[in-house]
Amino acid sequence: MTKQVLLTGGAGYIGSHIYVALIAAGYDVTIYDNFDNASKDVPDRLEQITGQKPDVIEADILDRTSLRACFSSRKFDAVIHLAARKSVAESVARPLDYFETNIAGIIILLQEMERAGLKDIVFSSSATVYGHPEQKSLPETAEVSHTNPYGFTKLTSEQILSQAQAADAGLNVGILRYFNPAGAHPSGLIGDDPNSLPNNLLPYLAEVALGNAPHLNVFGTDYDTPDGTGLRDYIHVDDLARGHVLSRATLLDKQCSHLVNLGTGRAVSVMEMLKAYSAACGRNLRHKNQPRRAGDVTIYCADPSLAKRILGFETTKDVMDMCNSSWNWVQKNKSRNEMKGD
Ligand code: UD1
C-alpha cells in the first residue's frame, strides 16, 4: 500500500526538493502551502521532474478549517511540517508575525492531527537552536538557546513537540536540525528563489555571478579560522531532502522518534565558497572585505554521527555540487529574476 504524506510548505525551496525525494521513494504526497514565499509555477515544475501532477492545497497553516478539510478528505500516514517563516532579519523586525505562523501554526497542526488520529510528524528545525556555540562540532546534546525571534520559534516548536509527546506516547516525532542548505535540483527546475536581494551566502554569490550585484561582501576576515572568514556546514538540498525520507521511514518502520542534525560534518569558509562558486561559473568573482556581520558566529558545524546511526543518513554531495547546481538553476531562471526586478 502506498503511504501518503502531507507536506506543509511543500512548494518552497526545501519543501519542493523533499517532494521530489518522497515521490522517488514511492510515497503519495499532498502539498499544503499558502504560496507566500513560493512561486505559483512550482507545481508545474514538479510535474516536469516527477511526471505526475502534484496534489496541491493552497491554504495557510493557520487556517484550521482548511487543515481540517484536508485531513478529512485524504488518508495520511504522516505529516512533514515545513510551513513557516524563515528570515532571521525579518523575525527581528516582526517577531509577532513569526510567533503566529511558526508557533501557533504547529499548535493548530498538532491539534488537527490529533483530531484526525494522525501520529507521525517530521519537523523542520534549524541549527540556529544552538545559539552562539563554543564547540567546533555540534552534537545534538550541545546546549541550546535562541538569539533572535526566528531561533526562538524553532526552539519553542521543538519543546512543544516534546511536551505533546510526553502527553501522548503514541506520537512519533522526527526533529531535523538543518545546517546551511545550499544548491538546487540537477534539472535546474527548482531551487532557492528569494523574493529580493538575498542575505545568505550561496544565493548572494549567485547574484554576483549573474552580474546583479557587483561583488560579494565578505563579512569578517578576522575570525579565528584558517583564512579568517566564518565557517559553516553547507548541506546540499538534495541530501537534506533525502534526510526527510529517511526520517519518515524510521518513524514508520521502527516507531523510533528522533532528534538529529542534518549536516555534513565539514566546515567550509566564506573564501572557500567564493572560490568554488567562481569555478562553477567560470570566472573569478569579486569580493570586498567588510567588518563582521552583527549576530554572526565563527563556526557552525554538525556532528552528523547520530543521524547516521539512527537514520542511516550520510551526505553524498560536496561544495562543488552545491555551486554547480546553484549556477545551473539561476542561469536557467534568469528571466524569472529579471521579472522580479532583482
Ligand atoms: C543563517 C541562519 C540559519 C539559516 C541559514 C540559511 C542565523 C543565526 N542563522 O545562517 O538559521 O538556516 O541562514 O538560511 O541567522 N556571508 C558573507 N557575505 C554574505 C552573506 C554571508 O560573508 O553576503 C557569510 C556569513 O558571515 C557567514 C556565512 O557567509 O559566515 C554564511 O552566512 P549565511 O548564508 O547568511 O548563513 P548563516 O548566517 O550561517
Side-chain angles (χ1 to χ4, degrees):
M1 197 185 72
T2 318
K3 296 287 174 186
Q4 196 158 358
V5 173
L6 178 68
L7 179 59
T8 77
Y13 169 43
I14 297 168
S16 57
H17 289 79
I18 296 173
Y19 176 86
V20 173
L22 285 168
I23 296 292
Y27 288 93
D28 271 348
V29 186
T30 298
I31 290 173
Y32 187 101
D33 203 303
N34 65 2
F35 289 84
D36 232 29
N37 197 21
S39 175
K40 282 284 169 81
D41 64 0
V42 168
D44 287 344
R45 288 163 173 250
L46 291 175
E47 183 174 357
Q48 285 179 58
I49 294 172
T50 62
Q52 61 189 73
K53 200 172 172 56
D55 180 30
V56 180
I57 295 174
E58 183 176 346
D60 198 283
I61 196 68
L62 297 171
D63 180 351
R64 188 187 291 278
T65 310
S66 292
L67 210 46
R68 193 169 292 182
C70 161
F71 284 138
S72 54
S73 62
R74 294 160 180 80
K75 185 85 198 86
F76 296 110
D77 306 288
V79 177
I80 299 181
H81 178 47
L82 278 83
R85 297 176 189 263
K86 65 171 186 179
S87 156
V88 172
E90 191 183 54
S91 80
V92 174
R94 291 164 45 203
L96 298 179
D97 290 349
Y98 273 66
F99 301 155
E100 183 181 39
T101 306
N102 296 11
I103 299 176
I106 196 168
I107 293 171
I108 292 170
L109 176 66
L110 286 169
Q111 286 173 329
E112 292 307 314
M113 281 178 64
E114 184 176 44
R115 199 171 179 276
L118 246 166
K119 294 291 189 186
D120 287 14
I121 179 166
V122 173
F123 174 64
S124 150
S125 189
S126 164
T128 192
V129 300
Y130 294 118
H132 280 164
E134 300 294 327
Q135 291 124 290
K136 286 199 165 141
S137 166
L138 292 160
E140 291 77 357
T141 49
E143 205 178 308
V144 290
S145 67
H146 52 83
T147 53
N148 53 63
Y150 166 74
F152 174 80
T153 67
K154 289 295 174 188
L155 198 51
T156 304
S157 298
E158 287 194 1
Q159 288 164 356
I160 286 169
L161 284 165
S162 143
Q163 294 193 23
Q165 204 178 14
D168 175 3
L171 190 65
N172 299 312
V173 178
I175 294 176
L176 307 179
R177 290 179 176 164
Y178 307 167
F179 280 69
N180 288 50
H185 190 264
S187 64
L189 286 165
I190 52 173
D192 199 359
D193 191 15
N195 282 327
S196 51
L197 200 62
N199 295 315
N200 294 125
L201 181 59
L202 250 278
Y204 200 93
L205 278 168
E207 295 297 325
V208 179
L210 286 170
N212 295 334
H215 56 262
L216 174 74
N217 291 306
V218 176
F219 297 133
T221 51
D222 58 349
Y223 286 106
D224 183 16
T225 62
D227 65 17
T229 65
L231 295 169
R232 295 291 183 273
D233 183 339
Y234 299 93
I235 176 170
H236 196 292
V237 65
D238 284 336
D239 280 329
L240 191 66
R242 208 165 31 79
H244 292 72
V245 177
L246 291 170
S247 172
R248 197 295 157 262
T250 302
L251 294 182
L252 185 68
D253 301 339
K254 305 182 193 158
Q255 283 80 51
C256 173
S257 289
H258 48 271
L259 183 163
V260 297
N261 290 332
L262 292 183
T264 66
R266 188 168 127 53
V268 175
S269 76
V270 176
M271 291 311 284
E272 283 177 85
M273 225 31 169
L274 174 69
K275 222 170 169 182
Y277 215 100
S278 295
C281 73
R283 69 191 171 88
N284 278 333
L285 299 176
R286 296 180 55 217
H287 73 278
K288 278 195 181 159
N289 294 343
Q290 303 287 1
R292 294 182 181 195
R293 188 172 66 175
D296 269 355
V297 297
T298 306
I299 177 168
Y300 251 116
C301 187
D303 173 345
S305 54
L306 190 65
K308 183 175 177 189
R309 205 161 67 239
I310 296 184
L311 308 183
F313 175 72
E314 276 183 287
T315 56
T316 58
K317 301 199 176 192
D318 63 14
V319 160
M320 269 327 294
D321 295 321
M322 297 175 210
C323 295
N324 283 328
S325 61
S326 160
W327 181 230
N328 178 45
W329 151 250
V330 294
Q331 272 186 300
K332 284 195 171 141
N333 293 277
K334 266 187 207 156
S335 55
R336 189 176 172 139
N337 285 333
E338 278 154 15
M339 273 175 354
K340 279 190 263 172
D342 278 356

